[in-house]
Amino acid sequence: WQSNWILKKRKIEFTWLCIGSTANLFLYQQIKELIKKYHLEKECIFLGVQKNPYKFMARADAVMVLSDYESWSMVITEAKILEKVIVATKTSGALEQIEDRKTGILTEFSIRDITEKIIEIIQKKELREEIKDNLRGSDNTKEIIESFESLLKEPDVVEEEKEKILYIIDDINYIG
């Protein structure tokens, strides 16, 4: 939220929509207090879980994926399909999905770098347009599904049948 405060302080107009669950209520309350402290209530809006988040994403100028840890990001995939400029922290998922300055902007997980990359994407229209041009027709969903299906068809290397348990943590905002 410090990035948003810096943007406002530099008189850069923006609206930041936060869409999704707020699993960590303690963190959510802290963020709401910071928004109030820095007078960002008009700029930072929490929409919560939305039945159709794509109507917001489709109208956005850019999509921010600012995670400290992230595997393959569906948000990045969806934003690319919608040909949206993406600013993402250098997580393993983002590094796999974004070619820096070609199909999005990669940033360090620091307030300073995030803020500078956001300002750059706001101020450099030609960069935004180049990224959008590079994303046109980049929907590779069919290839991803075919690749995944081929992995499922590979023979199992385990010789004896054992009971298997798969445990997936979908949201790092809570303890599994």
Side-chain angles (χ1 to χ4, degrees):
W1 300 105
Q2 290 175 336
S3 291
N4 294 343
W5 180 71
I6 294 168
L7 293 173
K8 186 173 181 174
K9 201 167 127 179
R10 291 191 186 179
K11 301 196 184 310
I12 295 173
E13 292 184 22
F14 67 95
T15 302
W16 193 287
L17 298 179
C18 296
I19 301 171
S21 68
T22 52
N24 185 331
L25 293 177
F26 178 72
L27 180 61
Y28 174 72
Q29 278 300 4
Q30 285 182 313
I31 292 169
K32 292 292 276 184
E33 288 171 19
L34 287 170
I35 288 171
K36 189 173 183 176
K37 176 181 177 181
Y38 292 110
H39 308 286
L40 291 165
E41 296 91 345
K42 291 180 183 175
E43 291 83 6
C44 300
I45 302 166
F46 283 87
L47 297 176
V49 176
Q50 295 291 310
K51 185 176 181 179
N52 178 10
Y54 308 109
K55 66 183 177 186
F56 300 101
M57 191 183 290
R59 294 187 354 234
D61 294 313
V63 174
M64 307 296 148
V65 183
L66 307 175
S67 302
D68 48 357
Y69 299 100
E70 182 93 34
S71 58
W72 188 272
S73 170
M74 285 306 296
V75 174
I76 291 175
T77 302
E78 294 158 350
K80 286 173 74 174
I81 290 169
L82 292 170
E83 299 171 5
K84 295 299 169 182
V85 176
I86 305 153
V87 176
T89 46
K90 294 179 181 177
T91 60
S92 60
L95 290 169
E96 289 179 45
Q97 293 174 273
I98 295 174
E99 189 176 349
D100 194 27
R101 309 185 81 66
K102 299 225 184 296
T103 59
I105 300 292
L106 293 170
T107 178
E108 299 297 328
F109 193 72
S110 74
I111 293 164
R112 181 184 199 150
D113 200 39
I114 290 168
T115 304
E116 292 306 316
K117 298 292 172 60
I118 292 171
I119 290 171
E120 180 181 22
I121 208 69
I122 289 170
Q123 293 178 341
K124 293 187 176 178
K125 183 179 180 181
E126 62 281 350
L127 178 59
R128 287 193 318 269
E129 293 304 317
E130 181 182 336
I131 290 170
K132 288 179 186 179
D133 286 345
N134 291 336
L135 290 171
R136 281 202 181 82
S138 70
D139 179 6
N140 63 344
T141 308
K142 184 177 178 186
E143 290 83 8
I144 291 169
I145 291 171
E146 287 172 354
S147 174
F148 181 71
E149 287 174 344
S150 72
L151 289 172
L152 295 175
K153 293 176 184 174
E154 285 185 7
D156 193 358
V157 294
V158 178
E159 291 185 25
E160 44 182 275
E161 276 299 311
K162 294 181 182 177
E163 190 173 327
K164 297 174 182 81
I165 297 174
L166 176 63
Y167 183 71
I168 299 173
I169 298 175
D170 185 44
D171 186 349
I172 63 168
N173 293 320
Y174 67 89
I175 299 173

